[in-house]
Amino acid sequence: MAVLIEGALAVVAVALAWLFSVPLREQFPTSGTSLAWAVARGLVATVPMLAMFWWLVHSDWPALEALQQQVERLISEMFPSANIGQLALVAVLAGVGEELMFRGVLQTIFGWWTTPIAGLLISGLMFGLLHALSKVYFALATVIGVGLGWMTWYFEDLVGPMVAHSLYDFVALMYLCRRRGMREVGER
């Protein structure tokens, strides 16, 4: 189900880009060196996101503990027996599909209609709303959305944000699924 949703999001983003004449192709590096730097930026951008994730899963703050339980239930329902390849596929599709939609299309369109910074903030807020499992997660996802939006705007490419988003999702999914598996083994 997650593969279908994230894959469909990429298709819808490309369709909207065509409909609104958003030049998605221009948001990708054209040389090998530019691509390598974009990938490197994405890898570096993953570090603060993973630090925030680590804080989230190890915090004893009641609001975060409630969010941890909610996320663990969601992971159990969505990925009851997913293998590493399936988790990687979902993570890559989420990184590509969501970045195409939120940074590639929506941020560009809202930037045209307002200003580039307003477009960045609006698309970041929409990204947060899409991920609003709770008020805390909404706030964290909005911060991540604005950060990825800034990266897209400043470096004028989508590859860095796609790499950061995909890698973050993969590491988080792997950790959460492994943690769930360890708990289930302990419960037996």
Side-chain angles (χ1 to χ4, degrees):
M1 181 62 112
V3 168
L4 290 175
I5 291 170
E6 297 298 351
L9 189 60
V11 171
V12 170
V14 170
L16 286 173
W18 175 80
L19 184 65
F20 287 95
S21 300
V22 174
L24 281 181
R25 207 173 301 183
E26 292 177 13
Q27 297 184 49
F28 290 89
T30 56
S31 75
T33 304
S34 297
L35 178 61
W37 279 110
V39 169
R41 282 192 300 272
L43 295 173
V44 170
T46 308
V47 173
M49 293 165 56
L50 289 174
M52 187 165 51
F53 175 75
W54 183 88
W55 169 70
L56 182 99
V57 298
H58 291 90
S59 176
D60 58 359
W61 183 36
L64 291 181
E65 285 181 340
L67 177 59
Q68 289 171 25
Q69 293 170 359
Q70 193 176 13
V71 168
E72 286 177 10
R73 265 193 314 278
L74 184 64
I75 294 294
S76 292
E77 291 170 9
M78 290 180 68
F79 308 104
S81 61
N83 62 40
I84 192 169
Q86 293 166 329
L87 294 176
L89 179 61
V90 168
V92 168
L93 287 173
V96 171
E98 292 179 23
E99 292 311 309
L100 280 172
M101 178 62 78
F102 289 98
R103 263 53 76 185
V105 176
L106 296 177
Q107 181 171 319
T108 300
I109 291 171
F110 291 130
W112 288 343
W113 293 346
T114 58
T115 67
I117 299 300
L120 183 160
L121 295 173
I122 293 166
S123 66
L125 183 63
M126 291 176 74
F127 182 78
L129 288 170
L130 177 74
H131 295 83
L133 295 175
S134 70
K135 291 176 184 175
V136 172
Y137 201 69
F138 161 74
L140 295 173
T142 299
V143 167
I144 288 172
V146 168
L148 293 171
W150 175 85
M151 214 173 140
T152 301
W153 171 74
Y154 188 81
F155 293 105
E156 299 179 341
D157 82 64
L158 287 169
V159 173
M162 285 178 174
V163 168
H165 191 151
S166 298
L167 182 57
Y168 168 80
D169 281 0
F170 178 68
V171 171
L173 285 172
M174 285 291 297
Y175 177 84
L176 291 169
C177 286
R178 182 169 180 252
R179 185 165 125 169
R180 183 195 71 229
M182 290 171 70
R183 276 208 188 104
E184 288 174 358
V185 168
E187 292 171 0
R188 291 183 191 154

